[in-house]
Amino acid sequence: MKAKRNQRSGEPSARQNKKKTPAAAPEAAVSDEKEAARPVAEEAVVNPAAEAAPAAAEEARPAVEENAPTAREDDAVFERRLARRQDELKWLYCELYHGDLAAYDYFVSMLRRSWADRKAELRAQDGRREADPDWYRRRDLLGMMLYTNAFAGTLEGVREKLPYIQECGVNYLHLMPLLESPKGRSDGGYAVSDFRKVQPELGTMADLERLADDCREKDISLCLDFVMNHTSEDHEWARKARAGEPGYRERYFFYDNWDIPREFEKTVPQVFPTTAPGSFTWLPDCQKVVMTNFYPYQWDLNYANPMVFNDMTENLLYLANRGIDVIRLDAVPYIWKELGTNCRNLPQVHTLVRMMRMVCEIVCPSVLLLGEVVMEPAKVAPYFGTPDKPECHMLYNVTTMATTWHTLATGDVSLLRHQMDAVCALPRDFLFLNYLRCHDDIGWGLDYPWLKAHFGTDEVSHKKYLNDWFTGKWPGSDSRGELYNDDPRLGDARLCGTTASLCGVEAADYEQNPFKLERAIACDLMLHAWMLTQSGIPVLYSGDEVGQLNDYSYHQDPEKWDDSRYLHRGAFQWDLAALRRDGTTRQGKQFMGLRRLEELRCAEPAFDARADVWTFDTGSAHVLGVGRWYKGRKLIAMFNFSPEFVTVSSGEGGAFDELVYGGHFDDLSHVELYPYGFVWLAHTEG
């Protein structure tokens, strides 16, 4: 059982000692710990093929060594990049850190060190991608997220399985957290004890770099989580802070008693109100209170201390220099804390992210920042920044994902259409990652004011309906999921389960009901077609390509049993994946059906990220209509979220060809859709 955070019985009786604002300490900024934090030489992988030329416009690596730039030329590239951003970077840094020039000078010297450590192949890729800044907006990009241990055991195992990943059409690979974290207190890898080491059972940092090298050779971009809000209590900084070593408690939020923590908790929402209530933890060994917004073993970092920002930025660049292409900024809205606020999305967060964006543009311009911001699109939009001061390159489209599952349970597309209209109103430069399922739960963060205004929906009762539907309790539901972080008092449980199990495949498979199975597979493929129709980068969750079902074995694992998210984090079933090309099996139907959709999307110009996108009334509350237009090519897509046959229409004129099934329509006044069916109708303007 997890210990509760606010062990009030352990409160110290000593007088209040107010938290001091950490001041920058120039001499500490170059302390011995900095040398300890430098990359270990043995972990570096020397690639003899690294003599690649950084010519910006080149698409292929040159074979001749004499084209490689000199060290002086490379340094000049860095200085030019730095000079272009120096004024803004210094201004933001000094504004945030009260004119601490010593800390800033150290920061810039750290950037130069990181640039010096960046190998030639990565510098060459920087040049190519600088010359093609929209490289990550291509419609042929397809992502997949996976756990290394569940998918292939080790990083070397993943490297050996790259041919399978390529067969899936994947060229954007997100490896779920794999840095060192303590057993039993890892939060699925989000409690990092060392940002420079891989969890030993998964391999080494050298293995990660080899995998990154192979991915780069195969044109697969590698994504890795960067947990920047907190460290594990086992991290070196935390251990030294606990021991009272000078300069380390200032990296976190330490207090002598509960006076200030209680003031924080008046305005700060709880992240895990049932499994880890409160936002602070009492440390009996050192008689202190420390801020722990997530779990008691995850100590929040204090970014008001410039040493924290300097050192965490260096950790980010260390990962970028191992060959990571995309850095996922975990829980980024939480990273700045201020008493009297909710400690979410504060202005200083945007300053930090903007500086991190400039850091990447200076040291590693081929690296992208992906922000994990769990809010509706209109509210996440500030994390893109502005055209002249960009922040994150990409953000998750979380609300559309949750609204998609709401639509499946209700059979009514009204809210989803309203949601899509909000997304379509955003600038086309804003790039979202779209997904159906991921490693996390589904939180029902829907637009309840809109639902109440249009349907009289009560939030608590509606959440209960959704959870009853997707756990199979509601009459007629074949979904099979489990609740996560259930709070009966608030009625605010979240949901876990794989796409296939939530679509009814598990129930049909168990009942050996071929009629139900066909409906469930159709539902699964319709949802994936809907995901592929959205603008942005579609991302699969490993196993969904072959319809992997829930894994209930976690109930018997003492390290997992109390976290239902492991329901959809089961080991990849390679024996079932072996059936992926057999069209008589459900795995074959799902794999080959999905691959065909992905290939059609890649070939169809209307799926371009720069396309105009809109929704339209199909004449049925069950069917979502989406239009896309790009350079004279028009796509009309319709998705039936009900288990009934539906006849729908569109006012679009002209003849259309159906891309998936091959039908032809002289007009769209009468289109029949199967239960959970969909159409992709294409028209070329004369």
Side-chain angles (χ1 to χ4, degrees):
M1 182 180 295
K2 289 187 174 70
K4 290 186 177 180
R5 298 180 173 202
N6 295 340
Q7 302 174 19
R8 297 299 204 255
S9 60
E11 294 181 17
S13 57
R15 59 178 172 81
Q16 176 180 349
N17 183 4
K18 290 188 178 180
K19 174 83 172 168
K20 295 179 181 178
T21 303
E27 55 276 352
V30 290
S31 64
D32 291 341
E33 69 169 311
K34 297 308 302 172
E35 291 300 317
R38 285 175 177 260
V40 180
E42 293 79 46
E43 289 183 334
V45 176
V46 179
N47 191 329
E51 299 100 354
E58 288 182 348
E59 292 298 324
R61 288 190 192 88
V64 287
E65 185 174 332
E66 56 266 23
N67 287 338
T70 66
R72 181 175 296 178
E73 289 170 340
D74 268 353
D75 289 343
V77 169
F78 173 85
E79 295 301 334
R80 283 197 299 271
R81 290 172 182 160
L82 176 62
R84 283 199 298 269
R85 297 160 181 89
Q86 175 93 288
D87 288 347
E88 184 190 356
L89 183 60
K90 187 173 183 178
W91 188 87
L92 289 174
Y93 192 102
C94 290
E95 180 190 43
L96 192 64
Y97 294 122
H98 313 294
D100 192 334
L101 292 176
Y104 177 75
D105 289 344
Y106 175 82
F107 178 71
V108 173
S109 70
M110 177 272 293
L111 299 186
R112 286 196 173 90
R113 265 204 322 276
S114 298
W115 166 253
D117 289 341
R118 192 158 177 80
K119 62 186 178 183
E121 283 189 18
L122 296 178
R123 293 183 182 186
Q125 179 174 264
D126 291 339
R128 291 193 297 272
R129 289 180 175 177
E130 273 189 305
D132 181 20
D134 290 332
W135 68 269
Y136 60 97
R137 299 178 184 275
R138 305 191 317 259
R139 65 178 180 269
D140 66 336
L141 279 181
L142 176 67
M144 176 181 283
M145 58 180 74
L146 58 83
Y147 280 95
T148 298
N149 60 335
F151 182 72
T154 64
L155 288 167
E156 181 61 24
V158 174
R159 195 164 73 93
E160 292 171 358
K161 296 294 186 181
L162 286 180
Y164 172 80
I165 290 169
Q166 287 183 295
E167 185 184 346
C168 292
V170 168
N171 47 20
Y172 171 103
L173 184 61
H174 180 179
L175 301 178
M176 300 308 294
L178 49 75
L179 299 180
E180 188 177 80
S181 57
K183 290 267 179 115
R185 293 174 291 116
S186 72
D187 186 26
Y190 287 98
V192 179
S193 56
D194 195 325
F195 291 94
R196 307 293 182 96
K197 291 182 180 178
V198 168
Q199 192 69 14
E201 61 266 28
L202 301 180
T204 66
M205 194 58 73
D207 293 332
L208 178 60
E209 191 162 1
R210 274 192 294 271
L211 173 59
D213 289 342
D214 276 18
C215 284
R216 191 164 54 255
E217 289 290 335
K218 299 178 187 300
D219 197 26
I220 299 173
S221 295
L222 202 57
C223 174
L224 199 66
D225 290 75
F226 184 61
V227 185
M228 62 183 302
N229 178 72
H230 47 259
T231 73
S232 162
E233 64 179 342
D234 285 14
H235 191 279
E236 180 187 14
W237 302 345
R239 285 189 281 105
K240 290 183 176 181
R242 200 167 210 150
E245 290 195 29
Y248 286 93
R249 287 182 179 173
E250 287 79 11
R251 291 174 179 259
Y252 300 95
F253 294 88
F254 270 74
Y255 300 97
D256 291 336
N257 57 43
W258 286 95
D259 292 346
I260 296 177
R262 281 198 190 102
E263 290 300 312
F264 267 108
E265 290 189 335
K266 288 179 181 178
T267 58
V268 176
Q270 298 182 66
V271 178
F272 299 130
T274 56
T275 56
S279 300
F280 291 84
T281 296
W282 170 250
L283 305 177
D285 56 335
C286 62
Q287 297 286 293
K288 299 290 181 183
V289 182
V290 66
M291 182 180 283
T292 53
N293 266 292
F294 288 81
Y295 284 101
Y297 49 77
Q298 292 166 307
W299 295 4
D300 287 61
L301 287 165
N302 184 1
Y303 279 90
N305 183 343
M307 287 189 289
V308 169
F309 178 66
N310 289 354
D311 291 353
M312 289 299 288
T313 302
E314 188 169 10
N315 283 330
L316 182 152
L317 293 174
Y318 176 83
L319 295 174
N321 283 348
R322 307 284 73 74
I324 305 303
D325 298 282
V326 183
I327 303 290
R328 176 187 177 273
L329 302 178
D330 180 64
V332 65
Y334 295 77
I335 60 177
W336 191 272
K337 315 299 193 299
E338 194 168 298
L339 192 63
T341 73
N342 64 1
C343 297
R344 308 281 195 276
N345 307 297
L346 298 180
Q348 294 89 339
V349 172
H350 294 282
T351 298
L352 290 167
V353 177
R354 173 63 186 144
M355 288 197 292
M356 293 173 78
R357 173 68 177 258
M358 286 190 284
V359 163
C360 290
E361 291 172 348
I362 293 166
V363 179
C364 50
S366 62
V367 171
L368 307 178
L369 296 180
L370 166 62
E372 191 227 2
V373 186
V374 184
M375 294 183 296
E376 61 191 84
K379 291 184 178 178
V380 306
Y383 284 90
F384 285 113
T386 63
D388 59 328
K389 298 183 188 304
E391 295 178 24
C392 292
H393 296 82
M394 306 179 290
L395 296 172
Y396 287 105
N397 193 352
V398 178
T399 307
T400 299
M401 177 276 297
T403 305
T404 294
W405 291 105
H406 150 91
T407 305
L408 186 64
T410 61
D412 189 294
V413 302
S414 304
L415 179 60
L416 187 55
R417 185 180 176 191
H418 170 70
Q419 176 75 44
M420 272 302 294
D421 288 342
V423 174
C424 294
L426 295 172
R428 277 177 284 181
D429 287 342
F430 291 1
L431 190 73
F432 287 102
L433 264 66
N434 303 303
Y435 62 103
L436 296 175
R437 290 298 295 114
C438 67
H439 71 291
D440 219 343
D441 55 90
I442 300 173
W444 299 116
L446 308 175
D447 190 341
Y448 291 103
W450 190 92
L451 282 171
K452 187 173 182 62
H454 288 78
F455 296 98
T457 303
D458 173 72
E459 180 175 346
V460 173
S461 60
H462 188 61
K463 286 180 178 178
K464 185 178 188 309
Y465 164 74
L466 293 173
N467 284 323
D468 285 350
W469 178 271
F470 286 113
T471 54
K473 295 177 182 177
W474 194 267
S477 169
D478 287 315
S479 287
R480 297 294 181 264
E482 291 183 353
L483 300 184
Y484 173 69
N485 219 34
D486 188 10
D487 187 348
R489 180 174 51 87
L490 299 175
D492 201 21
R494 306 175 203 177
L495 181 76
C496 299
T498 68
T499 299
S501 289
L502 295 179
C503 287
V505 173
E506 179 180 327
D509 211 35
Y510 177 78
E511 296 172 19
Q512 294 294 292
N513 186 324
F515 174 76
K516 276 190 176 182
L517 185 60
E518 289 302 317
R519 286 276 175 97
I521 292 173
C523 179
D524 186 293
L525 288 174
M526 181 274 291
L527 291 182
H528 277 96
W530 154 234
M531 176 187 72
L532 293 166
T533 302
Q534 299 170 56
S535 289
I537 301 176
V539 181
L540 304 173
Y541 186 57
S542 174
D544 278 2
E545 75 277 10
V546 291
Q548 189 152 321
L549 305 179
N550 292 337
D551 182 354
Y552 297 96
S553 66
Y554 84 94
H555 287 289
Q556 284 73 52
D557 190 326
E559 292 187 4
K560 300 176 181 177
W561 68 268
D562 60 347
D563 189 341
S564 55
R565 291 176 296 181
Y566 285 103
L567 182 70
H568 50 258
R569 295 176 181 177
F572 188 79
Q573 296 176 296
W574 287 101
D575 55 337
L576 298 182
L579 304 173
R580 64 188 178 275
R581 294 294 179 181
D582 183 349
T584 65
T585 66
R586 70 168 183 85
Q587 289 81 12
K589 290 175 182 177
Q590 292 184 263
F591 183 85
M592 291 191 288
L594 181 56
R595 282 299 297 130
R596 175 156 172 72
L597 295 178
E598 293 160 355
E599 289 164 356
L600 287 169
R601 182 183 190 272
C602 178
E604 173 53 53
F607 285 115
D608 193 279
R610 294 162 290 184
D612 292 326
V613 186
W614 66 95
T615 69
F616 61 89
D617 183 7
T618 63
S620 170
H622 304 310
V623 179
L624 177 69
V626 179
R628 300 184 62 92
W629 182 93
Y630 183 68
K631 291 186 176 180
R633 184 73 169 175
K634 183 182 293 183
L635 181 89
I636 298 297
M638 291 185 271
F639 305 92
N640 181 9
F641 279 83
S642 80
E644 309 295 333
F645 287 88
V646 182
T647 300
V648 290
S649 64
S650 165
E652 297 290 340
F656 286 80
D657 292 313
E658 211 291 317
L659 298 179
V660 182
Y661 306 105
H664 179 80
F665 292 79
D666 290 326
D667 62 69
L668 301 183
S669 60
H670 187 92
V671 179
E672 294 184 347
L673 294 177
Y674 282 87
Y676 299 121
F678 70 95
V679 287
W680 277 350
L681 300 158
H683 167 75
T684 302
E685 296 178 352

